[in-house]
């Protein structure tokens, strides 16, 4: 038990913060790597190669996001079992999640490799960057098992209250990744394939570290009987996992439509959109982390029937989201040119980036709160509303980009994101209070 953390006992705020900070540094290290990766590609290879890697972002979100959503969904029942002290079912759920994830990995890898070329054509990928996009994509999707394995292992550890091990894993993998990027690009003079290979190697390292920790947790000692086929349990896991996976994929479809319109404007716009997406993703990570905390905290306390603690946990995570908005939204608003200059060389991409970032900085509070409320709903074992909110995000993005691009230009891509955040937050916030009220009455 000393290798896990019981989130159903003790003072809520100190417990939330102890769980939050290792996860915060984990996610920030991942984003620091993404930013460093972008800078290394942009400065070391050029804007066209940066556009090729960035062009894959929405497609990676579609495939990888589906698998991550499924893995996170599998971990909700695991958190419930841990909170309820049902360790036999905990082991069975973990083994079933591993089996389902293996099947998922095989299917997603085959599908993504077969259809990569066709999808890039549908996205209006410029011939200038098509070959680099394909090279990068084939390697990343060929190594999809490393991404899924890490996210499943890290999700299980978080469900058991361990946010420190994923942090250690990311420290090691991030440093490895940056070092290998520099070696491959500046030393071996590789192209985008070096960036992709470095990513796969780093993910293998982080997976091995998490697996080592899981093997030492006594209550998770799995036997062959735990892997026996249990269709009822498979159904329960898929009931939580599939809606969360579809939520990510549906959201990714909206992003791919935006990418389609951006690619049609030219390579400079593709480069700018890639950089903008990296920065926004980095600056929302502290609140995304608060969402992960909310999911694990809610899951354990739901299993323990401690609904009063769930409400206290929500208030703590909302406070974290608001503080992050004040600090990081200010940077996006006041320093867009400086941020752009760190990534790209051309004056036109810098100007486009400086148009995009300030509106996102002003309205970032909505997505910060979205992470917390949506994770709260997911932690309650109610994945349908988050999935429907993914549809809302897709509809809002597509509508705004379709009707607004000709009138407002590139900044419309920022307005599309903002509209998606507001619509999804409204759905999840209402659903959270309805579900908690019902549970409290019971």
């Amino acid at each position: 038990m000393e290798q896990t953390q019981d989130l159903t006992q003790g003072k809520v705020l100190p417990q939330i913060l102890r769980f939050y900070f290792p996860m915060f540094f984990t996610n920030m290290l991942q984003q620091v790597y993404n930013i460093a990766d972008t800078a290394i590609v942009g400065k070391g290879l050029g804007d066209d190669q940066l556009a090729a890697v960035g062009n894959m972002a929405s497609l990676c979100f579609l495939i990888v996001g589906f698998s991550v959503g499924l893995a996170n969904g599998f971990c909700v029942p695991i958190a419930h079992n841990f909170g309820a002290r049902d360790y036999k079912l905990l082991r069975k759920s973990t083994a079933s999640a591993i089996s389902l994830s293996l099947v998922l990995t095989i299917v997603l890898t085959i599908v993504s490799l077969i259809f990569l070329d066709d999808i890039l054509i549908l996205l209006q990928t410029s011939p200038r960057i098509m070959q680099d996009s394909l090279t990068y994509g084939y390697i990343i999707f060929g190594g999809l098992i490393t991404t899924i394995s890490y996210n499943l292992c890290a999700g299980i550890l978080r469900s058991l209250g361990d946010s420190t091990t994923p942090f250690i894993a990311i420290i090691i993998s991030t440093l490895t990744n940056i070092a290998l990027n520099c070696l491959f690009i500046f030393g071996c003079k590789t192209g985008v394939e070096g960036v992709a290979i470095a990513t796969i190697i780093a993910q293998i390292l982080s997976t091995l570290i998490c697996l080592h920790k899981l093997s030492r947790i006594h209550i998770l000692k799995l036997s062959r009987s735990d892997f026996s086929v249990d269709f009822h349990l498979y159904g329960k896991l898929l009931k939580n996992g599939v809606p969360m996976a579809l939520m990510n994929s549906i959201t990714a479809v909206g992003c791919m439509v935006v990418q389609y319109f951006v690619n049609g404007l030219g390579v400079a716009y593709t480069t700018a959109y890639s950089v903008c997406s990296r920065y926004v993703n980095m600056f929302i990570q502290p609140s995304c982390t608060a969402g992960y905390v909310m999911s694990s905290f809610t899951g354990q306390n739901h299993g323990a029937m401690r609904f009063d603690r769930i409400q206290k946990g929500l208030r703590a995570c909302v406070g974290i989201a608001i503080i992050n908005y004040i600090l990081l939204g200010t940077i996006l608003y006041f320093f867009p040119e400086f941020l752009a200059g760190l990534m790209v060389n051309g004056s036109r991409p810098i100007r486009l980036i400086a148009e995009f970032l300030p509106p996102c900085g002003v309205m970032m509070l909505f997505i910060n709160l979205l992470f917390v409320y949506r994770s709260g709903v997911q932690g309650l074992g109610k994945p349908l509303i988050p999935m429907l909110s993914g549809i809302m995000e897709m509809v809002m993005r597509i509508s705004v980009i379709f009707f607004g691009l000709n009138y407002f230009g590139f900044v419309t891509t920022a307005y599309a994101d903002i509209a998606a955040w507001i619509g999804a937050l409204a759905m999840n916030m209402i659903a959270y209070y309805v579900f908690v009220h019902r549970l409290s009455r019971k």
Side-chain angles (χ1 to χ4, degrees):
M1 287 294 291
E2 71 278 4
Q3 296 162 320
T4 60
Q5 182 179 350
D6 186 354
L7 300 176
T8 65
Q9 305 291 332
K11 293 184 178 180
V12 171
L13 181 58
Q15 201 168 50
I16 288 283
L17 293 177
R18 282 197 302 270
F19 192 56
Y20 171 80
F21 280 108
M23 291 181 63
F24 165 74
F25 290 120
T26 299
N27 284 349
M28 289 309 296
L29 275 172
Q30 287 179 310
Q31 294 307 311
V32 166
Y33 158 69
N34 287 334
I35 295 297
D37 185 45
T38 302
I40 291 170
V41 173
K43 298 294 185 179
L45 297 178
D47 288 354
D48 281 4
Q49 285 72 26
L50 177 58
V53 174
N55 186 54
M56 290 297 302
S58 58
L59 183 54
C60 286
F61 185 24
L62 175 67
I63 303 298
V64 176
F66 182 90
S67 62
V68 170
L70 202 60
N72 289 339
F74 290 166
C75 293
V76 171
I78 292 174
H80 289 179
N81 297 334
F82 182 71
R85 309 294 195 276
D86 190 343
Y87 300 134
K88 181 179 180 180
L89 186 56
L90 171 67
R91 289 189 289 272
K92 184 70 175 174
S93 298
T94 301
S96 298
I98 293 171
S99 300
L100 291 173
S101 297
L102 180 59
V103 174
L104 161 78
T105 300
I106 295 171
V107 172
L108 284 180
T109 300
I110 294 172
V111 170
S112 58
L113 291 177
I114 290 175
F115 294 105
L116 177 60
D117 197 344
D118 295 329
I119 294 174
L120 288 176
I121 293 173
L122 286 175
L123 289 175
Q124 293 194 103
T125 302
S126 169
R128 283 170 54 185
I129 63 174
M130 174 61 84
Q131 188 55 53
D132 281 335
S133 294
L134 285 170
T135 299
Y136 182 83
Y138 282 135
I139 297 172
I140 290 295
F141 293 139
L144 193 59
I145 187 172
T146 62
T147 304
I148 295 176
S149 297
Y150 167 73
N151 282 286
L152 179 62
C153 292
I156 294 171
L157 287 169
R158 287 194 295 264
S159 297
L160 303 181
D162 180 2
S163 58
T164 303
T165 302
F167 172 51
I168 295 171
I170 289 300
I171 290 177
I172 295 173
S173 66
T174 298
L175 294 176
T176 301
N177 211 331
I178 293 175
L180 289 176
N181 271 339
C182 294
L183 173 64
F184 291 150
I185 292 177
F186 298 110
C188 301
K189 305 298 182 182
T190 65
V192 296
E193 65 273 15
V195 180
I197 292 171
T199 298
I200 299 300
I201 294 173
Q203 287 176 339
I204 291 173
L205 269 178
S206 59
T207 301
L208 291 175
I209 293 169
C210 291
L211 279 174
H212 175 69
K213 178 57 182 292
L214 286 170
S215 69
R216 296 172 57 198
I217 298 177
H218 178 69
I219 60 173
L220 266 186
K221 295 293 183 182
L222 303 181
S223 63
R224 291 183 63 180
S225 62
D226 292 320
F227 287 92
S228 61
V229 176
D230 187 335
F231 290 108
H232 174 73
L233 187 53
Y234 289 168
K236 184 177 180 180
L237 291 170
L238 290 171
K239 181 182 177 181
N240 278 277
V242 170
M244 291 174 68
L246 290 176
M247 177 195 74
N248 285 348
S249 292
I250 292 168
T251 302
V253 170
C255 294
M256 289 175 68
V257 172
V258 174
Q259 186 78 60
Y260 167 85
F261 282 101
V262 170
N263 288 348
L265 298 175
V267 174
Y269 291 86
T270 303
T271 302
Y273 186 62
S274 171
V275 172
C276 290
S277 298
R278 291 290 177 97
Y279 271 126
V280 171
N281 286 336
M282 180 179 181
F283 279 61
I284 63 178
Q285 281 308 305
S287 296
C288 180
T289 303
Y292 284 132
V293 173
M294 186 64 190
S295 180
S296 298
F297 187 86
T298 302
Q300 285 196 25
N301 283 282
H302 181 278
M305 305 290 284
R306 295 296 307 274
F307 304 124
D308 58 319
R309 288 177 61 82
I310 293 176
Q311 286 287 69
K312 293 176 182 177
L314 174 82
R315 289 192 288 271
C317 291
V318 166
I320 292 171
I322 292 173
I323 292 171
N324 286 320
Y325 163 67
I326 295 171
L327 295 176
L328 299 177
T330 300
I331 295 175
L332 283 180
Y333 183 79
F334 285 106
F335 304 104
E337 291 88 356
F338 171 76
L339 295 173
L342 296 176
M343 295 284 183
V344 296
N345 300 311
S347 59
R348 193 175 187 188
I350 290 177
R351 178 178 57 81
L352 294 171
I353 294 166
E355 290 179 14
F356 183 103
L357 294 181
C360 290
V362 172
M363 306 301 284
M364 199 171 71
L365 178 62
F366 293 105
I367 190 170
N368 286 3
L369 294 178
L370 170 60
F371 285 129
V372 175
Y373 280 96
R374 183 168 61 196
S375 297
V377 175
Q378 292 169 344
L380 292 171
K382 305 290 185 181
L384 181 61
I385 294 299
M387 185 190 75
L388 294 176
S389 73
I391 297 175
M392 170 69 78
E393 287 191 60
M394 179 185 70
V395 170
M396 297 300 290
R397 275 195 175 89
I398 294 175
S399 299
V400 171
I401 200 71
F402 182 80
F403 292 107
L405 190 62
N406 289 335
Y407 295 98
F408 302 107
F410 179 73
V411 75
T412 307
T413 55
Y415 299 153
D417 280 348
I418 293 166
W421 301 341
I422 294 173
L425 172 62
M427 290 185 66
N428 283 280
M429 184 180 288
I430 293 170
Y432 173 83
Y433 286 113
V434 169
F435 289 139
V436 167
H437 178 68
R438 289 177 182 174
L439 289 170
S440 299
R441 291 182 63 185
K442 289 181 181 179

